[in-house]
Structure formats: C-alpha cells, structure tokens
Amino acid sequence: MKLHVPIGLRWSDLDAYGHVNNAAMLRLLEEARIQAFWVNDDAEEAVGGTTAVLDGRPGADTLTLIARQEIEYLAQIPYLRQPLDVQLWLGRLGGASLEVCYEVWSPLGMEPRTLYSRAATTIVLVDAATQRPRRISDHERAAWTPYVDEPVQFAKRG
Amino acid sequence: MKLHVPIGLRWSDLDAYGHVNNAAMLRLLEEARIQAFWVNDDAEEAVGGTTAVLDGRPGADTLTLIARQEIEYLAQIPYLRQPLDVQLWLGRLGGASLEVCYEVWSPLGMEPRTLYSRAATTIVLVDAATQRPRRISDHERAAWTPYVDEPVQFAKRG
Amino acid sequence: MKLHVPIGLRWSDLDAYGHVNNAAMLRLLEEARIQAFWVNDDAEEAVGGTTAVLDGRPGADTLTLIARQEIEYLAQIPYLRQPLDVQLWLGRLGGASLEVCYEVWSPLGMEPRTLYSRAATTIVLVDAATQRPRRISDHERAAWTPYVDEPVQFAKRG
Amino acid sequence: MKLHVPIGLRWSDLDAYGHVNNAAMLRLLEEARIQAFWVNDDAEEAVGGTTAVLDGRPGADTLTLIARQEIEYLAQIPYLRQPLDVQLWLGRLGGASLEVCYEVWSPLGMEPRTLYSRAATTIVLVDAATQRPRRISDHERAAWTPYVDEPVQFAKRG
C-alpha cells in the first residue's frame, strides 16, 4: 500500500534556474517521510493513521539515521501552488533498518500527471542511549507491514 | 484588511535546539508574502483573490527587491503539524515601495493562540529592463489598497 | 573593536534571480556571529581569540535566544568566490542580553569596496535548566567589552 | 586525478540532532562540484586551475541538469570549524553527460581521518536555447580527462 503525502513547495526551493533545486528535493522527501511515519508533535498519529510510528522528537529513545539515498530526477519541477503528490512506501523491512521508496508526482488534479522523481532512503534505527542499531520491534513491524511493496526500480544506474 | 495565509512548517526549519530557526522564519514570511501578493504560476491569481498582483516569475517585467526587514521573536516555535497562521497586510503603500507587515500566530484552532513573531519587509519595485525603481501602477494601487492597515508596532527596538 | 569574519557564499544562497536571497543573508550573519563569539567544537576558542565565549554546543548550560533582528539590504550580492568580509561588534551589552551589529562588505581586496548590508541581532542568554534569562557573567562581560562599539545606525526605518 | 575542495560547514547545516543533515550534504557536494568545475564569477577559472570549465552563470549557453544522485552516509558529521576535505573526480565522461564522484573526509590535519560519505552525481549538459542535451565539446573533454578516475564503489545498495 502506498501513502500519498501532499507536500507544498516553497519559493526558496527554487534555484537560480527557477526550478526546484536538487538538494531541496531531499528536503521534500524528508518532509514526506516524517509526515508519513513519524510522530513529531503531541498528535501521536502519522498520516497513515497508525499510532505505532517512530518518535522523532528530540529526546526520543530512538534515533533514525540515514544510511543511503538514491534519487533519479526525471523532469524539472517549476514553482507550483498546489502540493506535489509524494507517494511513498517501504521497499524493504529488515532487522534494524528499512528502505523508504518514493515517487514524486505532479499535483493531484493537474493533467497530464508527471513523474518528477523517484527515490529511496535507507534508514537505520539507533538506540539513543547506546548509539547502536536496535531491532525493529514487533509493534513497529506490524504497523509498517501494510506499507511494504516492491522496491523502486532505478533506471539510470551507470 | 489582513490576509491569513496558512504556512506549513518543515522538519528542516528546526535548528539544533529543536525550534524553528531564526533564519527559517524569513523563509516562512517570504512564502506567505509570495502566496498572498504574487503570481507565480499559471493560475494568475493570489490568495487574496485579486488578479492585479505582482508577477514573480523569472522573466517578469518587475523585480521585487527587499530593502529592509525587521523581526521580533516573541516565542519559540516547535515542530507543528498544523500550518502556522501568518497574518499579513500592508503597513505602507509608497511611490515605488511598500511595506508588508506580518504577525505569525499558532495554528488556527490550537488554543491558546500564541503570537510567535511580528515582522515587516520593505519591498521596492524595480523595472527588470532598466534595473531602476518604478512607480506602483494605478492598477496595483487599487488592488492593494484594501490591504493597507496600521503598520506593525515593534516593542523591542533598543 | 570590530571583528572581521570571512564568510564564504554558497551557490545555494542564490535565489531564482541569481542574487543572494534575503533569508540566506540571515544564515550568513548567523554563521559570522557563531564563528566570532561562540565555542562550537573542541577548539574552545573563537575567532576573536578570547576563551570566555559562549558554548553553543547542544547540552550547553546556556541557550542563546534571538529576540529581534533588523537588516537593511543596500546592494544585491552576486555569487562570489572570495568570502564576504562580515564585520561585527557589540552595539549594546545589557544585563541578560546583547546586541550584535554587522556590516556585510564585499571581499577584502575586491575594489571598490561595497557595503551590501547592515544588520543587528538582539540575543538573550537563557539558562538551559530553568529556561529563564540569566545575567551576563563578569567573565563574559570582561571578554566581550573590547568589542563594544557604537550601535549600527539604520537609515531606512519608515 | 582527484581534486581536493575545502568546504566549510555552517551551523545551519545541523539538524535537530546536532549533526549535518542528510539534505545539507547535497548542498555541500553541490558547492564542491561548482567550485571545482564551474565558472561562476569573473575569475573564469575553477579550483582545478583549468579554464575550459562550465559556465554556470544565469544566462549561460549551457544548463547542467542533475539526472541522478546516490549518497552513502558512513559517519555522522558534527559541527566543525575546519573545512571538510571533499575529494572529487569524474567517474565517467559520456557523450552528453558525466558522473561526478565524491568522498567527503574529515578536515585535513584532523587525525584520524574519517570518511563521512561517498556519493555520485550524474549531470547532463543541456543547450539553454533548445533545452535539449548537447555533446561535450572537444575543449571540455580535453580539460576534464585528467580528472577521470575509477567510479566510486557503493557498498550499501540493497
């Protein structure tokens, strides 16, 4: 199952060419990922509606470290008023790590639909006290399993 | 008349202390200002519903230069899922320049309401061809006049 | 006495117009301020060569909150390879707060010298444990007093 | 041959955990790449000392589009006063595209040396007038060939 997270652009995401900067794209993916799978305020509920998600607040027991990222840029993104349709899912659910996969689409309702980017982020769960990787709990695994789907296929590896 | 522009935070707006960074605040004000008074895509209509607004797209006839900014930070802003309620209006409408005033409030519906920040930005309209200031047109003045209100009062000047 | 802190631009400081973005300017000021007056790594010494400076590392006893900022933009800044010459000093040294003043100049050695911007930041020292303002210590006051100079004069207040 | 480009961190590169943010890393790579291979100001000479490099200034004849990026994060980067030692080279020099490879090392002179990150960026040269890919010229190829080396090897692909 894929989650659709609407992510609004900011004028400051544009670079000197008037398109979304390549590094700003990682901010957009980060924001979608956090909105989808993390608890960050007192709502204690993420976009997916599950309550067994990560607690990303400073002082939380678990840190989430980024181990790798891969992004393919398929089309340039202009400034858009309507939020991008960021689709994300889990390409892999390992012992202490998971892979978040993304497709960044043009805003819902804007035709024709354009796939701007595809990407993947590998995340390692780290115990904040010991600073060592810790296993995904049964609770987390049960909450995340519905979002496991085929890993994103990259077309441009050398 | 004051415009209310909802501006969502991003995780990346936080600094190492877990609060919205002082410089990120200017990005939020910029975004509110652009959504309120600029045309940036093919919609040709800004939040206020007027159509006589500035064209901020690269290649437009007018550049908008920032001449000054002043910001008072009244309360720290944590990560919030709900968008901030950025209220903005024009504190002054001069010959070739205008002053945008802002109050940054906690999200609508979140009680008690907190005023996080107040700010003002002076903008000069510049002719892109000559690179010299140009006068506000009658059309623009008519469109903007409803949003003129008392300039923001700063309390913390030394 | 004014400190000269060389601050390098980044390509990503430019906006869609090809000039340093107004919000990026606050990042540059922040960086100059931190390099001048804060300890942030194990060097325990700031640009000024004093050792009685603030400890800005997470977990430090004192937080430094930004209470206000004011910036005048006098000339647009293009991308420059050579670092800007950011001059900074203290315009006021109060009980629990201080005002950092800045002038942002074109790179040393680049003629003619251009003053791009002038700015001021009011900082409040806050006890991390109690989250309340705390007084500037005698040690800090002695270390900072040599850098006290006339407050920056702003020319564009409405 | 690998180029060594010193890239200074900024306080604003840190996230709420006090380490260099994953997206900020792309800004650092971008900055190193631009300093190494692009002309951006009137110096018309890049770090490598060659003069046959890309002109990245707005209005230039060639746009450089990012087609893909891949980054492995091997160790967290704290705030450091000394610039990172970003080593970069070309892993591939194709018809209309090239691959820039990077290793991000701890500052020169800081022992032990730590490899923080490895990465690669695929860049396509696009004719600004036609918006279509254009071939690498003989002049560019001659200037860049000395920097061609083995492509970076990624260890963490799923």
Side-chain angles (χ1 to χ4, degrees), chain B residues 125-148:
Chain B
L125 303 191
V126 170
D127 184 286
T130 65
Q131 296 281 320
R132 301 183 62 102
R134 65 109 169 131
R135 294 191 63 79
I136 294 174
S137 72
D138 291 347
H139 189 208
E140 290 164 341
R141 194 172 299 273
W144 290 335
T145 295
Y147 304 105
V148 175

Side-chain angles (χ1 to χ4, degrees), chain A residues 104-140:
Chain A
V104 180
W105 288 86
S106 51
L108 284 170
M110 197 173 105
E111 297 295 339
R113 301 300 309 281
T114 303
L115 177 58
Y116 292 126
S117 200
R118 60 170 78 91
T121 304
T122 302
I123 291 170
V124 179
L125 304 191
V126 170
D127 184 287
T130 66
Q131 296 279 320
R132 302 181 61 102
R134 64 108 170 134
R135 292 190 64 79
I136 293 173
S137 72
D138 291 347
H139 189 208
E140 290 165 339

Side-chain angles (χ1 to χ4, degrees), chain A residues 45-84:
Chain A
E45 193 170 327
V47 168
T50 79
T51 54
V53 291
L54 285 170
D55 187 337
R57 291 171 286 190
D61 293 338
T62 298
L63 306 175
T64 52
L65 297 192
I66 307 292
R68 73 180 293 276
Q69 299 203 81
E70 187 167 354
I71 315 119
E72 290 185 356
Y73 304 85
L74 307 174
Q76 295 185 68
I77 310 180
Y79 184 81
L80 296 163
R81 284 276 173 101
Q82 299 302 314
L84 298 171

Side-chain angles (χ1 to χ4, degrees), chain A residues 13-28:
Chain A
D13 295 325
L14 306 187
D15 60 17
Y17 295 132
H19 295 108
V20 172
N21 175 275
N22 70 85
M25 175 67 83
L26 277 197
R27 296 287 193 194
L28 305 177

Side-chain angles (χ1 to χ4, degrees), chain B:
Chain B
M1 185 166 62
K2 298 182 180 179
L3 282 163
H4 290 250
V5 183
I7 296 290
L9 291 175
R10 293 183 184 171
W11 178 248
S12 57
D13 295 324
L14 306 187
D15 61 17
Y17 296 133
H19 295 109
V20 171
N21 176 276
N22 70 85
M25 174 67 81
L26 277 197
R27 296 287 194 197
L28 304 178
L29 300 181
E30 174 185 63
E31 194 58 32
R33 183 173 71 236
I34 286 172
Q35 289 194 21
F37 291 112
W38 270 247
V39 170
N40 291 289
D41 58 14
D42 296 337
E44 305 229 343
E45 194 169 327
V47 167
T50 80
T51 55
V53 290
L54 285 169
D55 188 337
R57 290 171 286 189
D61 292 339
T62 298
L63 305 176
T64 52
L65 296 192
I66 307 291
R68 72 179 294 276
Q69 299 203 80
E70 186 168 355
I71 316 119
E72 291 185 355
Y73 304 86
L74 307 175
Q76 295 184 68
I77 310 180
Y79 184 82
L80 296 164
R81 286 276 174 98
Q82 299 303 315
L84 297 172
D85 172 34
V86 180
Q87 301 180 16
L88 75 178
W89 68 98
L90 303 178
R92 194 178 54 80
L93 200 49
S97 70
L98 61 160
E99 187 189 56
V100 182
C101 297
Y102 320 79
E103 286 183 352
V104 180
W105 288 87
S106 51
L108 285 170
M110 199 174 102
E111 296 296 338
R113 301 300 308 283
T114 303
L115 176 58
Y116 292 127
S117 202
R118 59 170 78 90
T121 304
T122 302
I123 291 170
V124 179
L125 303 191
V126 170
D127 184 286
T130 65
Q131 296 281 320
R132 301 183 62 102
R134 65 109 169 131
R135 294 191 63 79
I136 294 174
S137 72
D138 291 347
H139 189 208
E140 290 164 341
R141 194 172 299 273
W144 290 335
T145 295
Y147 304 105
V148 175
D149 210 322
E150 284 293 301
V152 70
Q153 295 300 314
F154 291 104
K156 299 191 176 191
R157 284 185 179 174

Side-chain angles (χ1 to χ4, degrees), chain D residues 61-112:
Chain D
D61 292 339
T62 298
L63 306 175
T64 52
L65 296 192
I66 307 291
R68 72 179 294 277
Q69 299 203 81
E70 186 167 355
I71 316 119
E72 291 185 357
Y73 303 86
L74 307 174
Q76 295 185 68
I77 310 180
Y79 184 82
L80 296 163
R81 284 275 174 100
Q82 300 301 314
L84 298 171
D85 172 34
V86 179
Q87 302 180 17
L88 76 177
W89 67 96
L90 303 178
R92 193 178 54 81
L93 202 47
S97 71
L98 60 160
E99 187 189 58
V100 181
C101 297
Y102 320 79
E103 285 182 354
V104 180
W105 288 86
S106 50
L108 286 169
M110 197 174 105
E111 298 293 340

